[in-house]
Amino acid sequence: MNTRTDVVFLSHGGGPLPLLGDPGHQSMVDQLTTLASTLRKPHAIVVISAHWEESAPTITAGSQPPLIYDYHGFPAEAYEIQYPCPGEPELANRVYGALELAGLSPRLDDERGFDHGVFVPLKLMYPAADVPVVQLSLVNSLDAATHLSIGRALRHLEYDNLLVIGSGFSFHNMGAFFAPNTPEVQASNQAFEDWLAQTCCDPNLTETERYQRLVNWESAPHARFCHPREEHLLPLHVCYGLANGPSNGRIAATILGKQSGMFHWGPVPSP
């Protein structure tokens, strides 16, 4: 892998709401647009979204993937959102090769489109839709070590000026979003965010310690309250597996009244 790869874990918010002017997402919108302005504009983007799970890591390989409106109960305009970015079959094949070399039995999918974990944040970050995109699935075992291994495999991906995005959410308890934000809920939310920030950013941790913390993430304070199901956290594991070092820093956002974090690593050095 060359030295021109930026890695970002972002919290992508609730469905299409960030694109519909929802005030509970303004902090996130501001942070993503600011982040995009500080990054080099990439030649291509790989997105690992929380909203695609397969039995093996699977990669979009079409030249013009459609959008998947994988949400329900929103106004009609939510189903008219357009983000006509191209795919990048050559990059998809390189991702496939890196994962195959690591023994991860990847697959290519010529038909699958981009879900909202891809097009919502990218429409905020790169509204011109002129950067080619490839999406990579999670593995439906939801095993932390597997997703760290996927990230490690991507270290050997060669593509100049690449942006790799883990699109998830650092807090994803759906019931808590729609319940009173009590002091107990706030404390639980903050404790996990603090743990995540230390895990990703503390330069005094060794990479063995950082890896073990992420493998054993369920032992973090209030981990299962913040993530009753871990699919929105695992894109972070892929990001760290690729980056293999402390993040440049936590980017804080308040989303739907909850504290949420994003992390940037980069440019990431070659292994």
Side-chain angles (χ1 to χ4, degrees):
M1 186 181 70
N2 59 64
T3 59
R4 295 181 60 81
T5 297
D6 282 290
V7 182
V8 173
F9 171 77
L10 56 85
S11 293
H12 63 227
L17 289 174
L19 302 179
L20 301 180
D22 176 65
H25 286 79
Q26 190 58 53
S27 171
M28 170 200 151
V29 170
D30 292 344
Q31 291 289 23
L32 286 185
T33 53
T34 298
L35 175 62
S37 72
T38 66
L39 299 173
R40 296 181 308 269
K41 186 173 181 179
H43 293 165
I45 302 170
V46 175
V47 182
I48 303 94
S49 167
H51 294 279
W52 187 19
E53 301 173 25
E54 296 285 352
S55 59
T58 306
I59 308 136
T60 59
S63 59
Q64 198 69 50
L67 300 190
I68 302 171
Y69 302 107
D70 54 336
Y71 38 70
H72 306 282
F74 291 96
E77 63 185 301
Y79 305 93
E80 298 167 357
I81 293 168
Q82 298 297 313
Y83 193 73
C85 68
E88 172 51 296
E90 179 187 349
L91 175 56
N93 281 303
R94 293 190 189 191
V95 173
Y96 177 95
L99 298 177
E100 185 178 46
L101 185 65
L104 292 168
S105 303
R107 302 181 193 135
L108 294 170
D109 188 329
D110 295 326
E111 303 296 327
R112 214 258 183 192
F114 296 139
D115 60 55
H116 77 271
V118 177
F119 69 78
V120 168
L122 290 189
K123 193 171 178 69
L124 295 169
M125 296 176 74
Y126 302 104
D130 57 350
V131 181
V133 177
V134 166
Q135 184 174 352
L136 172 61
S137 78
L138 299 178
V139 175
N140 60 14
S141 66
L142 302 184
D143 176 68
T146 296
H147 291 85
L148 287 159
S149 295
I150 291 170
R152 285 181 164 181
L154 293 177
R155 293 182 203 169
H156 301 283
L157 175 62
E158 295 187 3
Y159 197 94
D160 186 47
N161 193 17
L162 184 66
L163 172 61
V164 176
I165 293 177
S167 179
F169 213 147
S170 66
F171 179 91
H172 198 255
N173 181 323
M174 292 301 292
F177 282 125
F178 301 102
N181 200 19
T182 65
E184 292 78 12
V185 168
Q186 293 176 40
S188 297
N189 177 195
Q190 190 64 60
F192 185 76
E193 290 294 320
D194 291 345
W195 177 88
L196 204 57
Q198 182 184 26
T199 298
C200 292
C201 302
D202 187 349
N204 295 314
L205 291 175
T206 68
E207 297 320 310
T208 298
E209 290 169 331
R210 208 181 312 276
Y211 175 90
Q212 288 299 326
R213 284 169 73 100
L214 287 169
V215 166
N216 299 309
W217 72 273
E218 290 177 90
S219 65
H222 308 285
R224 277 298 178 190
F225 173 76
C226 296
H227 290 278
R229 191 173 187 272
E230 54 264 52
E231 81 285 348
H232 275 73
L233 184 65
L234 290 175
L236 174 69
H237 290 66
V238 179
C239 289
Y240 171 69
L242 170 56
N244 193 41
S247 165
N248 298 6
R250 178 177 181 266
I251 302 165
T254 302
I255 304 176
L256 294 171
K258 300 297 185 289
Q259 297 304 309
S260 302
M262 311 185 201
F263 300 93
H264 171 224
W265 294 261
V268 174
S270 300

